[in-house]
Amino acid sequence: MLTIHRPLGGLSATGDGEPAAGHAVLVEGDRLAAVGPYGELSAGYGGRARVREWDGVLRPGRYEPDAAALLGAAYWPDPRESGALGTEPLTGDALAALDMTDARWGASARRGIQRLLARGVTVLAGPFDRPTVRAAVERSGIRWYPAPGATVRPRVLSPGQVADFTVLAADGRCLVTALGGRLVHRRA
């Protein structure tokens, strides 16, 4: 299916600089099929593509270099747990006081990944040494580099690239995160 993502705040193909007003991306499957002025994309594909409008700036997804620590060395509390744990990741003595089983690490990693997606993150740095954490990362579809400090190519929105992107509101809040053209986070 073809989808045109039309960001009303413009498109920043590299994530730097001023966004190009009136630009959009065309997604086909898991790839960007075209990037350019919305009028041209609409004229060329509008009859075959659905259009999604977003009130923000569309840009490449964010990179999280501290993902190994955030997912493999911190506990993301379950909202159904006692309110005493709070909502922020637990580390240090607070983490040491918990009974961390493999299942609990896996569930924590899944919640952590959801929080990262809600921040517009589409690329992580590993390594993820705990098998349940690594499995959660692999199942999520988020891209990751196996070692910290790995050379990360600049992410650019261009035809043929994987359709990993985010839409950010004017205040920096993440409105949408897409992995491989699939919306994996959408702020209500």
Side-chain angles (χ1 to χ4, degrees), residues 27-32 60-68 71 113 116-117 120-128 133-147 150-157 160-165 177-184:
V27 174
E28 182 173 17
D30 68 345
R31 300 282 170 174
L32 295 172
R62 294 174 169 166
Y63 169 66
E64 179 51 70
D66 297 324
L71 300 176
I113 290 165
L116 293 174
L117 292 170
V121 173
T122 61
V123 181
L124 306 175
F128 302 104
V133 172
R134 188 172 44 257
V137 170
E138 290 171 350
R139 287 183 188 135
S140 73
I142 200 166
R143 281 150 217 355
W144 61 285
Y145 293 94
T151 303
V152 179
R153 292 186 337 211
R155 292 170 310 287
V156 176
L157 299 175
Q161 296 296 316
V162 175
D164 289 355
F165 59 85
T177 304
L179 295 177
R182 185 174 49 95
L183 298 184
V184 293

Side-chain angles (χ1 to χ4, degrees), residues 50-175:
R50 72 176 162 184
V51 176
R52 290 185 177 264
E53 287 189 348
W54 307 110
D55 192 18
V57 175
L58 192 145
R59 51 164 283 164
R62 294 174 169 166
Y63 169 66
E64 179 51 70
D66 297 324
L70 288 170
L71 300 176
Y75 178 70
W76 295 80
D78 186 328
R80 298 169 293 186
E81 291 178 308
S82 166
L85 293 180
T87 59
E88 294 303 309
L90 302 176
T91 59
D93 292 340
L95 176 62
L98 298 175
D99 178 25
M100 293 302 294
T101 63
D102 284 343
R104 199 167 193 189
W105 274 114
S108 170
R110 288 189 295 278
R111 288 188 295 275
I113 290 165
Q114 286 302 311
R115 294 266 188 92
L116 293 174
L117 292 170
R119 295 177 188 169
V121 173
T122 61
V123 181
L124 306 175
F128 302 104
D129 296 327
R130 295 179 195 282
T132 54
V133 172
R134 188 172 44 257
V137 170
E138 290 171 350
R139 287 183 188 135
S140 73
I142 200 166
R143 281 150 217 355
W144 61 285
Y145 293 94
T151 303
V152 179
R153 292 186 337 211
R155 292 170 310 287
V156 176
L157 299 175
S158 61
Q161 296 296 316
V162 175
D164 289 355
F165 59 85
T166 188
V167 178
L168 302 177
D171 63 4
R173 287 178 303 120
C174 176
L175 303 174

